[in-house]
Amino acid sequence: MNTLVQRAIKVLSDNDRNGYTIPSAKLYPYQWNWDSCFIALGLATVDEHRAWRELRFLLRGQWPDGMLPHIVFHRVDPTYFPGPEVWGVDHSPPTSGITQPPLLATAIRLIHEKARDRHTAKRAVLEFLPKILAYHRWLYRVRDPEGTGLVAILHPWESGLDNSPAWDESLARVEVRNGSPIRRSDTGYVPPDERPQQQDYDRYLALVDQLRRLSYHPTRTYAASAFRVVCVGFNAVLQRANKDLLHLVDQVNFHEGKAEIEGWIARTAAGFETLWDAGTGFYLSLDLIGNSPISVPTSAGFLPLFAAIPSSSRALAMLARLEEWASRTQHLVPSLDPSNPRFERKRYWRGPVWININWMIAEGLQGYDHAQWAERIRHDSLNLLAGAGFREFYDPMDGVGLGGERFSWSAAIALLWNRQPEPDYHPPQTKCPQ
Ligand code: GLC
């Protein structure tokens, strides 16, 4: 078996906590929402039962109103900040109080499609469908109360692109008063110049404090939040998930909700028309408080391809941007346009390459018949993984690995891109305490 695959399997098995997988030891010791979706996709190439289990563990964190939290704190690890005591959420298992890009339906569709154990796969889909429907209903009801088809995020962490320069102006509105004492642990594990600056971190925590003070009340938090943004990446992932959800309900003859899903798809497609910036040939996020497009071209602007949103002529305009970015970097896809003054090649989401984003962009391009570009991104990504290991992110100029080490979603995507038939995966045997 090829060694990249073997090493990837080892990372996932070492990060396995008997049923769920942490993104990276020390830095992220809990279960993260969209991480687990990528991880399940990778795990499914070697052990599909373990993949279903990953998602079942994630859903243990789902709130009664449908919200799927961004972190599930299955067992307390005092080294992580902000832990369950800062979020103050009354749920068992404890969770954070915000969500993340809703990749779950897509993960389930792709795992179901390739599953060898058809019986278990169908049972899993039937088990998960009502929960995903509840999640999407929550997103549209609570985060798009005006029915624009585009859902809002109330915290940069909900975008999954936490420290993106696209959030700078919106985040600057957040006032920092005496909030929870900040005990950052991330900069103890990763050089500070690869992590968010303190002033941003203070605002992230101020937003958490406000959400907690409002007891995460859906309408009050939406109205009161100083940060309210339509993230182009989040909405693209949602639209792709809607389409995968529609496919799944047809596959298993689960007709409840079908018309509703079709309605979401139509509304979100219309919403995306307002995010297209014809001047630059790119999709942009939107600041809902200032009611203005955010003219910072990040790699999330390519994610509508993943949801087959752009027409083929728009896709071509986007490829012209990608070509420009490629001419200024050695490794695709940087998280920010390298000619943008905010570009920082080493800092978290402000320039580096992320393998999970690359996978989604490449998947999208494949669907547009731009297979040569998809292949180039895949090739660049596999080179980074082979040369610098399974890191959290990579310098787009010299390919140096950055951020967390032995990173689960990077390993999972190596498996996805290198499907191997014979499993050699042994999850740990220890019992989870709860
Ligand atoms: C960082 C990333 C986020 C990810 C988390 C765990 O916070 O920005 O997208 O889910 O790490 O890997």
Side-chain angles (χ1 to χ4, degrees):
M1 196 186 289
N2 104 25
T3 59
L4 187 73
V5 167
Q6 274 169 337
R7 282 190 280 127
I9 290 172
K10 176 86 171 87
V11 165
L12 289 178
S13 139
D14 289 350
N15 288 344
D16 189 319
R17 294 294 177 267
N18 201 36
Y20 67 95
T21 309
I22 59 168
S24 176
K26 297 200 189 110
L27 192 58
Y28 305 119
Y30 293 110
Q31 184 175 25
W32 261 258
N33 180 336
W34 76 328
D35 293 64
S36 273
C37 297
F38 291 114
I39 290 165
L41 282 165
L43 283 173
T45 66
V46 288
D47 180 348
E48 58 199 54
H49 295 110
R50 177 61 187 78
W52 293 124
R53 196 152 184 246
E54 181 78 27
L55 300 178
R56 201 163 281 125
F57 263 78
L58 177 65
L59 282 161
R60 286 189 190 176
Q62 188 169 30
W63 289 11
D65 67 357
M67 204 278 276
L68 192 63
H70 98 299
I71 309 177
V72 187
F73 302 109
H74 290 289
R75 40 180 141 154
V76 174
D77 183 328
T79 59
Y80 180 79
F81 182 85
E85 67 295 343
V86 176
W87 290 96
V89 167
D90 182 18
H91 189 276
S92 177
T95 68
S96 72
I98 56 174
T99 191
Q100 251 189 343
L103 193 65
L104 184 59
T106 299
I108 291 174
R109 180 206 169 150
L110 296 178
I111 298 170
H112 175 261
E113 215 157 67
K114 294 227 157 65
R116 286 174 292 257
D117 179 350
R118 302 302 309 162
H119 177 69
T120 301
K122 183 169 180 194
R123 268 205 350 245
V125 170
L126 286 169
E127 171 194 342
F128 293 139
L129 273 179
K131 301 177 185 200
I132 313 172
L133 271 170
Y135 180 30
H136 287 215
R137 278 186 189 126
W138 178 87
L139 285 167
Y140 282 100
R141 185 179 70 245
V142 170
R143 295 304 184 79
D144 179 24
E146 285 156 28
T148 63
L150 299 169
V151 306
I153 56 168
L154 303 185
H155 196 297
W157 293 344
E158 292 199 307
S159 70
L161 328 164
D162 304 17
N163 195 31
S164 172
W167 314 144
D168 288 358
E169 279 76 18
S170 312
L171 193 62
R173 288 196 197 100
V174 177
E175 279 180 45
V176 178
R177 297 204 208 96
N178 304 328
S180 298
I182 295 185
R183 187 175 49 76
R184 279 184 82 166
S185 46
D186 58 329
T187 41
Y189 305 127
V190 168
D193 64 347
E194 295 171 22
R195 297 292 303 175
Q197 312 253 35
Q198 191 58 40
Q199 78 221 27
D200 294 327
Y201 211 88
D202 291 343
R203 293 188 171 111
Y204 298 153
L205 261 293
L207 284 169
V208 172
D209 285 338
Q210 187 189 35
L211 290 165
R212 190 192 55 243
R213 275 198 298 272
L214 293 171
S215 309
Y216 303 99
H217 187 280
T219 43
R220 280 191 294 175
T221 48
Y222 186 88
S225 182
F227 182 92
R228 200 182 322 127
V229 154
V230 164
C231 168
V232 64
F234 188 109
N235 280 276
V237 171
L238 174 61
Q239 183 70 330
R240 166 71 192 243
N242 284 333
K243 292 181 178 177
D244 290 329
L245 192 52
L246 188 62
H247 178 86
L248 281 171
V249 297
D250 278 341
Q251 286 288 303
V252 298
N253 294 319
F254 181 96
H255 295 299
E256 185 205 319
K258 189 168 172 187
E260 199 180 1
I261 303 167
E262 285 167 345
W264 294 333
I265 293 174
R267 245 191 294 155
T268 298
F272 262 93
E273 289 302 302
T274 64
L275 302 184
W276 177 250
D277 181 39
T280 55
F282 210 58
Y283 285 95
L284 297 175
S285 293
L286 186 67
D287 180 283
L288 287 177
I289 292 179
N291 194 22
S292 55
I294 302 174
S295 302
V296 181
T298 69
S299 53
F302 292 113
L303 291 179
L305 294 164
F306 182 56
I309 292 168
S311 61
S312 43
S313 62
R314 282 189 185 170
L316 267 181
M318 292 161 79
L319 270 184
R321 300 304 302 264
L322 190 62
E323 213 159 345
E324 249 170 65
W325 294 21
S327 71
R328 293 173 186 269
T329 49
Q330 295 302 316
H331 307 270
L332 284 175
V333 176
S335 38
L336 177 65
D337 178 345
S339 67
N340 189 286
R342 295 182 190 177
F343 179 80
E344 289 181 76
R345 56 192 266 197
K346 288 193 187 311
R347 200 184 295 280
Y348 190 62
W349 292 114
R350 304 181 80 90
V353 176
W354 293 72
I355 299 295
N356 61 328
I357 304 287
N358 277 9
W359 178 76
M360 291 189 285
I361 298 173
E363 280 285 295
L365 287 168
Q366 198 81 40
Y368 279 84
D369 251 5
H370 290 303
Q372 71 289 14
W373 274 99
E375 184 48 34
R376 168 147 182 207
I377 293 174
R378 175 176 172 273
H379 181 260
D380 273 15
S381 306
L382 286 170
N383 269 345
L384 289 171
L385 293 164
F390 304 105
R391 297 297 299 266
E392 187 178 7
F393 47 92
Y394 302 83
D395 185 325
M397 301 305 181
D398 59 14
V400 165
L402 302 165
E405 293 180 26
R406 298 174 59 69
F407 207 79
S408 292
W409 75 28
S410 302
I413 285 163
L415 293 182
L416 258 184
W417 264 331
N418 246 305
R419 281 190 91 89
Q420 290 286 321
E422 278 311 306
D424 181 19
Y425 175 75
H426 305 289
Q429 295 307 310
T430 50
K431 274 265 163 277
C432 181
Q434 48 107 32

